[in-house]
């Protein structure tokens, strides 16, 4: 294991909410004090008159008593830093809110103020399997040699000694203790939709995805997500779809809740890792003694990073019920198009708060992105993308109804009330990736500008990736060892030798359909390919065809004319302007 040397706290200017998009939570204390999340309690439906669509988790909070935490965060490791544990404030928040909250976080007036590192440790080559892990209760006296979590050093779990943790054996008679709710939050909390469905047993496959197929040669995964499931959870759901161990880990959460409820017991969920094997795990928490031996148990407050690989090399996903990105500007509507139908959207305040009520069935739902550091280094090296409509027809354009009352609150979970509370999906995205989404890659900028001249066509980007929002590495000609043809590599001054990037655009009008692939080069290499739009593997085949064309040094299709002009000619458009 290795201690991570970095600043003790990673707050940004004392206002984490404005820096990473975390919304305010209305049920948190609104006074002048700072409150720390100490522990995750039991699961229940505390008030079905206002919240029937999903259960809630009981958060245990303590008021910070030592104001030195701002200048000396190390005081947060001492039991005296908060008020007495018996005076903890307990509040219910919807399980979908677990996408936002972590043990150890400090909140102020309902907003996230600080996410301290406490003791940040890396556990390298950690072995995860049934022999090295066990589900235990937080109040366990291990072999009658002493409590795993001694109250004298860690009093903040005192009201939740029956809650479950996962114990992982470490060398030299040490151990790692991870609260089970934290384990579920880290591995399945990429969106409020995914984490919520885990707590609503039984968990059926079609609640997460409708179909999934893995190419055994390229290890590319094509997955169609279930209705309203966020693309932010595509990789997590892909692991569930392809790995039975991950699927079992996802089901354990809800099944353990169901067993406790049937037995009339307090509902404390259980959880396990969604894989078996080795991983490098980075966690924030603190060392505790056991049996008089110091630093014997590392209690995890929140997990930060896990290196275990996902069971695919690349992933393409589709979503249902998601709002399309606005079309490219300057697109003209064809005279043959139907007049657009305006859909009203009620105005809302700049930063509506999350409330613990079922959302309205009549208000349009929205997505709220929360930016965090990447959790899984393996995904940083893999392509994950979906199709995105760039030029949509105007049959469902939304406008703001200025005469409607302003919306000042939102709620996660399925809507099911008449209250003026907007449904919201919380999506956790990489802070690194989210900053790139709006910047078109340099080699693609002229092409996108050119496509603005088209009219009377539907244009889709088939390669909206998590990396830059537009392209994917052109790895389709990789062999079974992942080696890529040298012609498809490029020497980049910033990053050295890397794979060239490519974007795939689809153009549709009635039954006519074709694709254009633009490959990173100087000038960009473009290949126009007739397609049907009916085959889910068509984008892969299109990329392969263009890659072969490029590797053989074939001339670009746009050598003598811009792409918009060629596309217009193919679709018998006389005037592309």
């Amino acid at each position: 294991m290795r201690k991570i040397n970095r600043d003790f706290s990673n707050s940004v200017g004392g206002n984490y909410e404005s820096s990473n998009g975390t919304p305010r939570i209305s049920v948190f204390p609104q006074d002048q004090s700072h409150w720390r999340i100490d522990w995750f309690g039991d699961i229940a439906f505390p008030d079905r008159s206002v919240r029937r669509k999903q259960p809630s988790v009981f958060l245990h909070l303590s008021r910070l008593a030592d104001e030195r935490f701002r200048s000396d965060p190390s005081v947060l490791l001492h039991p005296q830093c908060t008020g007495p544990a018996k005076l903890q404030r307990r509040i219910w928040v919807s399980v979908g809110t677990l996408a936002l909250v972590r043990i150890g976080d400090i909140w102020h007036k309902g907003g996230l103020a600080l996410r301290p590192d406490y003791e940040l440790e890396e556990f390298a080559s950690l072995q995860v399997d049934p022999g090295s892990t066990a589900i235990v209760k937080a109040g366990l006296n291990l072999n009658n040699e002493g409590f795993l979590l001694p109250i004298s050093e860690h009093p903040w779990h005192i009201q939740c000694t029956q809650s479950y943790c996962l114990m992982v054996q470490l060398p030299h008679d040490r151990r790692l203790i991870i609260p089970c709710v934290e384990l579920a939050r880290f591995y399945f909390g990429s969106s409020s939709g995914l984490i919520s469905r885990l707590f609503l047993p039984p968990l059926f496959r079609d609640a997460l995805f409708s179909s999934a197929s893995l190419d055994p040669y390229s290890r590319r995964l094509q997955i169609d997500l279930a209705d309203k499931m966020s693309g932010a959870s595509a990789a997590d759901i892909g692991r569930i779809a392809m790995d039975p161990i991950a699927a079992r880990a996802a089901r354990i959460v809800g099944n353990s809740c169901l067993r406790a409820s049937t037995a009339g017991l307090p509902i404390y969920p259980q959880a396990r890792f969604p894989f078996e094997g080795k991983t490098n795990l980075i966690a924030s928490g603190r060392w505790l003694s056991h049996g008089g031996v110091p630093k014997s148990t590392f209690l995890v407050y929140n997990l930060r990073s896990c290196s275990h690989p996902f069971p695919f090399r690349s992933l393409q996903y589709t979503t249902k019920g998601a709002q399309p990105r606005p079309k490219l500007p300057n697109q003209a509507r064809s005279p043959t198009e139907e007049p657009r139908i305006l859909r009203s959207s009620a105005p809302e305040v700049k930063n509506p708060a999350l409330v613990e009520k079922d959302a309205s069935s009549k208000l349009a739902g929205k997505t709220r992105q929360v930016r965090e550091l990447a959790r899984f280094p393996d995904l940083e090296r893999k392509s994950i993308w979906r199709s995105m409509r760039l030029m949509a027809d105007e049959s469902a354009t939304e406008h703001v109804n200025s005469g409607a009352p302003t919306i000042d609150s939102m709620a996660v979970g399925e809507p099911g009330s008449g209250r003026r509370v907007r449904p919201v999906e919380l999506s956790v995205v990489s802070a690194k990736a989210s900053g790139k989404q709006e910047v078109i890659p340099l080699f693609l900028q002229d092409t996108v500008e050119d496509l603005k001249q088209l009219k009377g066509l539907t244009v889709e980007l088939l390669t909206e990736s998590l990396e830059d929002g537009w392209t994917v590495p052109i790895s389709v000609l990789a062999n079974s060892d992942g080696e890529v043809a040298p012609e498809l590599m490029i020497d980049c001054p910033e990053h050295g030798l890397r794979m060239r990037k490519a974007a795939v655009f689809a153009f549709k009008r009635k039954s006519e359909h074709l694709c254009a692939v633009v490959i990173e080069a100087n000038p960009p290499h473009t290949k126009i390919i007739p397609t049907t739009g009916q085959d889910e593997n068509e984008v892969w085949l299109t990329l392969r065809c263009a890659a072969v064309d490029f590797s053989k040094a074939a001339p670009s299709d746009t050598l003598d004319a811009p792409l918009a002009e060629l596309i217009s000619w193919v679709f018998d458009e006389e005037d592309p302007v």
Side-chain angles (χ1 to χ4, degrees):
M1 71 199 81
R2 179 171 65 92
K3 188 175 184 64
I4 306 295
N5 295 316
R6 54 187 270 188
D7 291 341
F8 194 93
S9 170
N10 62 3
S11 68
V12 181
N15 188 355
Y16 204 96
E17 174 189 351
S18 63
S19 66
N20 83 332
T22 300
R24 295 178 298 112
I25 300 179
S26 63
V27 295
F28 271 44
Q30 302 293 320
D31 58 17
Q32 296 298 322
S33 300
H34 285 79
W35 293 81
R36 186 178 66 180
I37 299 176
D38 292 335
W39 205 259
F40 296 125
D42 57 323
I43 306 294
F45 284 91
D47 187 353
R48 289 183 181 268
S49 66
V50 295
R51 179 59 108 175
R52 296 179 292 109
K53 291 296 183 176
Q54 70 170 254
S56 299
V57 57
F58 220 6
L59 294 187
H60 293 247
L61 283 68
S62 284
R63 187 196 307 267
L64 291 181
D66 194 332
E67 294 297 327
R68 292 179 299 167
F69 76 88
R70 295 184 180 87
S71 57
D72 182 14
S74 64
V75 301
L76 295 171
L77 297 173
H78 303 297
Q80 296 77 21
C81 73
T82 69
K86 63 181 179 180
L87 299 180
Q88 284 173 321
R89 177 81 63 88
R90 293 180 289 177
I91 60 174
W92 291 103
V93 298
S94 306
V95 292
T97 312
L98 287 172
L100 301 179
V101 296
R102 305 181 184 186
I103 294 175
D105 283 354
I106 296 173
W107 290 70
H108 179 62
K109 291 186 175 180
L112 178 58
L114 205 62
R115 179 163 288 160
D117 285 336
Y118 297 93
E119 293 180 286
L120 198 62
E121 296 278 357
E122 179 179 9
F123 300 90
S125 299
L126 183 70
Q127 181 64 35
V128 174
D129 57 45
S132 64
T133 61
I135 293 177
V136 299
K137 291 191 175 182
L140 176 66
N141 185 339
L142 186 62
N143 300 324
N144 292 319
E145 297 175 354
F147 291 101
L148 279 177
L149 309 180
I151 298 297
S152 59
E153 299 176 40
H154 190 275
W156 300 291
H157 69 289
I158 185 63
Q159 300 190 65
C160 300
T161 56
Q162 296 301 302
S163 63
Y164 290 102
C165 300
L166 190 72
M167 181 171 66
V168 187
Q169 293 297 329
L170 300 175
H172 312 299
D173 198 29
R174 291 182 171 186
R175 62 204 59 83
L176 186 66
I177 300 294
I178 310 172
C180 282
V181 174
E182 168 56 22
L183 203 62
R185 181 207 68 80
F186 178 76
Y187 286 103
F188 303 114
S190 47
S191 68
S192 56
L194 176 57
I195 192 68
S196 296
R197 295 187 194 194
L198 263 60
F199 285 91
L200 295 169
L203 181 64
F204 294 115
R205 160 186 166 135
D206 59 6
L208 304 180
F209 63 97
S210 57
S211 66
S213 59
L214 183 71
D215 184 285
Y217 178 76
S218 65
R219 303 294 296 172
R220 66 174 184 261
L221 175 62
Q222 165 73 35
I223 189 166
D224 299 321
L225 301 182
D227 188 36
K228 299 181 182 179
M229 185 59 68
S230 170
S233 293
D236 297 338
I237 295 174
R239 173 151 58 182
I240 293 172
M242 292 295 108
D243 189 344
I245 295 174
R248 185 163 60 249
R251 290 194 298 268
I252 285 173
V253 177
N255 289 347
S256 62
C257 293
L258 187 59
R259 285 196 302 271
S261 176
T262 303
L265 300 173
I267 302 173
Y268 291 108
Q270 300 178 7
R272 288 190 176 275
F273 284 96
F275 60 86
E276 291 180 6
K278 290 187 179 295
T279 185
N280 296 330
L281 198 69
I282 297 178
S284 165
R286 61 165 302 177
W287 284 101
L288 302 171
S289 67
H290 179 255
V293 181
K295 301 191 73 169
S296 296
T297 301
F298 188 82
L299 172 62
V300 172
Y301 286 171
N302 51 82
L303 296 169
R304 298 292 179 86
S305 175
C306 175
S307 68
H308 192 83
F310 281 69
F312 50 80
R313 184 176 291 169
S314 58
L315 184 153
Q316 182 187 13
Y317 67 93
T318 61
T319 57
K320 299 177 183 177
Q323 296 293 325
R325 179 178 291 193
K327 63 180 183 177
L328 292 175
N330 302 332
Q331 180 203 2
R333 181 162 57 90
S334 168
T336 61
E337 290 184 81
E338 294 293 327
R340 64 182 181 174
I341 300 172
L342 295 179
R343 184 178 64 185
S344 296
S345 175
E348 62 182 40
V349 298
K350 182 178 180 181
N351 188 20
L354 280 174
V355 297
E356 289 308 307
K357 300 175 182 178
D358 286 335
S360 170
S361 302
K362 299 180 180 180
L363 292 174
K366 292 192 175 181
T367 298
R368 179 74 176 261
Q369 286 190 345
V370 180
R371 300 180 299 278
E372 294 187 355
L373 296 178
R375 297 173 298 157
F376 305 114
D378 180 63
L379 295 181
E380 298 294 292
R381 301 184 292 270
K382 294 180 175 178
S383 301
I384 299 176
W385 79 89
R386 68 169 182 173
S387 300
M388 174 186 69
R389 179 166 293 186
L390 293 176
M391 295 183 179
D393 60 46
E394 299 182 327
S395 60
T397 303
E398 180 178 286
H399 79 289
V400 175
N401 183 356
S402 58
T406 300
I407 303 295
D408 61 2
S409 57
M410 56 187 180
V412 297
E414 289 293 321
S417 76
R419 304 179 186 90
R420 293 194 63 75
V421 177
R422 187 181 299 283
V424 66
E425 173 77 7
L426 302 175
S427 295
V428 180
V429 297
S430 165
K432 176 182 176 182
S434 66
K436 300 180 180 179
Q437 295 292 316
E438 302 305 321
V439 180
I440 303 173
L442 184 61
F443 81 93
L444 201 59
Q445 289 179 3
D446 288 345
T447 298
V448 174
E449 189 67 26
D450 181 43
L451 292 180
K452 294 178 184 179
Q453 309 304 314
L454 290 170
K455 62 182 180 180
L457 296 176
T458 295
V459 182
E460 284 186 317
L461 173 68
L462 303 185
T463 49
E464 185 198 14
S465 65
L466 295 181
E467 181 180 1
D468 62 18
W470 291 88
T471 69
V472 295
I474 189 161
S475 59
V476 291
L477 293 187
N479 60 24
S480 58
D481 295 324
E483 296 174 341
V484 178
E487 295 84 3
L488 300 181
M489 305 297 289
I490 188 171
D491 193 1
C492 178
E494 296 85 3
H495 306 289
L497 199 64
R498 63 165 175 80
M499 283 184 283
R500 295 180 188 271
K501 297 180 179 181
V504 182
F505 298 91
F507 305 90
K508 304 176 185 179
R509 188 183 65 184
K510 298 181 181 179
S511 61
E512 297 174 280
H513 192 284
L514 60 83
C515 284
V517 181
V518 183
I519 298 176
E520 182 181 17
N522 188 18
H525 181 90
T526 304
K527 180 70 175 177
I528 300 175
I529 302 171
T531 51
T532 65
Q534 304 299 315
D535 185 353
E536 65 180 21
N537 291 316
E538 205 162 47
V539 63
W540 301 97
L541 299 174
T542 302
L543 273 170
R544 175 175 287 275
C545 181
V548 170
D549 189 74
F550 180 80
S551 63
K552 292 182 177 180
S556 172
D557 287 348
T558 54
L559 190 62
D560 300 317
L563 181 58
E565 183 177 326
L566 292 173
I567 296 298
S568 296
W569 178 80
V570 171
F571 282 94
D572 295 323
E573 291 282 345
E574 296 182 357
D575 182 8
V577 181

